[in-house]
Amino acid sequence: MLFRSERSGADITVVLDPVDGSTNFARGLAYWATSICALDADGPWCALVVNQATGVAVTAVRGGGARRGDRVLRASPVTRVADAVIGLGGLPPRHLGWKQSRVFGCCALELCEVAAGGLDGYLSPGAFHAPWDYLGGLLACSEAGASVCDADGSALVTDDPGVRRRLVAAGTPALLDALLAGQPS
């Protein structure tokens, strides 16, 4: 969902996903979130991603870092796919040689796990994700030193509700490059 302020002089767009991981929620699985990200003319400005099943919140402010509670988040230093634990947004066409993988079904929380170093990387095998799915987690990753991109090269920061992106994220540029190299074009 996207909300734009109509107040004179305001130039903020709030991107909200009230239930990211809706299938998890509907089935009683304790891994779903509310994700909110405010965008200004320079991109993501501040974000809040709350795991509604646990109450654990991640906050991020451009230039101010990302936190889970009082803990400052730092992305994983892993550089090799063979050493990486990767979150998956679906089944990729082939295994890229990662150490282990997880499929949690909640993009915002999985990106926050990349920001926190719990996951070394994340990849989505298809262009499934709308801006409300990932913008809060994108800012958390950026502030924690992780990188996120669209595997097809499209811009991630958008308020267009019709776009979908194929996300790849990693704690290090070397791991991001390796994950991108393994993606089909």
Side-chain angles (χ1 to χ4, degrees), residues 6 21 27 32 36 41 45 49 57 111 113 127 133-134 163 171 176:
E6 298 299 326
R27 292 184 164 252
W32 61 278
I36 304 169
W45 169 48
V49 178
L111 289 175
E113 289 301 333
D133 293 321
Y134 64 79
V163 303
L176 184 72

Side-chain angles (χ1 to χ4, degrees), residues 75-170:
S76 163
V78 169
T79 59
R80 295 175 353 110
V81 174
D83 299 326
V85 177
I86 303 296
L88 300 173
L91 294 176
R94 63 185 183 84
H95 187 276
L96 300 178
W98 51 75
K99 179 180 173 181
Q100 291 187 31
S101 62
R102 301 287 184 264
V103 181
F104 293 114
C106 181
C107 178
L109 288 177
E110 288 177 273
L111 289 175
C112 288
E113 289 301 333
V114 172
L119 290 173
D120 304 307
Y122 173 81
L123 63 93
S124 176
F128 306 128
H129 299 296
W132 51 82
D133 293 321
Y134 64 79
L135 284 171
L138 169 68
L139 183 57
C141 281
S142 297
E143 290 298 316
S147 298
V148 184
C149 69
D150 175 63
D152 300 320
S154 297
L156 291 178
V157 180
T158 179
D159 64 0
D160 181 347
V163 303
R164 298 296 179 267
R165 299 293 187 244
R166 187 163 56 119
L167 301 176
V168 180

Side-chain angles (χ1 to χ4, degrees), residues 2 11 13 21-22 34 41 54 63 69-71 75 79 82 87 95-96 115 128 131 140 166 184-185:
L2 301 170
D11 197 17
T13 299
S22 56
T34 298
T54 66
D70 292 336
R71 183 176 153 243
T79 59
H95 187 276
L96 300 178
F128 306 128
R166 187 163 56 119
S185 8

Side-chain angles (χ1 to χ4, degrees), residues 35-55:
S35 178
I36 304 169
C37 185
L39 305 174
D40 64 13
D42 295 324
W45 169 48
C46 59
L48 171 67
V49 178
V50 180
N51 181 328
Q52 295 293 355
T54 66

